[in-house]
């Protein structure tokens, strides 16, 4: 068993990257709907994507 995690969670990198892509695309799309500047929308999307990736790895490393 891997230290601090479960062996059944081998796809966490793929899941984390999928979360990042969805966050990076969905947030600017909502920014367009609410008429936010494109640069701000992509900045928010990137920040949300990074937060989701970090959260995915933290939760996986503690076994949740």
């Amino acid at each position: 068993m891997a230290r601090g995690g479960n062996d059944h969670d081998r796809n966490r990198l793929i899941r984390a990257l999928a979360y990042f892509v969805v966050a990076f695309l969905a947030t600017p799309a909502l920014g367009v709907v609410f008429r936010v500047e494109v640069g701000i929308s992509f900045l928010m999307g990137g920040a949300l994507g990074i937060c989701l990736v970090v959260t995915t790895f933290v939760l996986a490393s503690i076994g949740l």
Side-chain angles (χ1 to χ4, degrees):
M1 176 145 72
R3 186 179 140 214
N6 295 334
D7 282 335
H8 72 276
D9 195 14
R10 297 184 189 274
N11 295 324
R12 68 176 163 228
L13 177 62
I14 295 168
R15 188 173 64 238
L17 291 176
Y19 289 159
F20 181 81
V21 169
V22 169
F24 194 70
L25 295 177
T27 304
L30 284 174
V32 169
V33 170
F34 291 113
R35 297 182 183 180
V36 179
E37 285 187 36
V38 175
I40 300 294
S41 295
F42 279 112
L43 184 64
M44 288 171 43
L48 179 63
I50 290 170
C51 289
L52 287 173
V53 168
V54 169
T55 302
T56 300
F57 279 104
V58 167
L59 290 176
S61 67
I62 63 174
L64 294 178

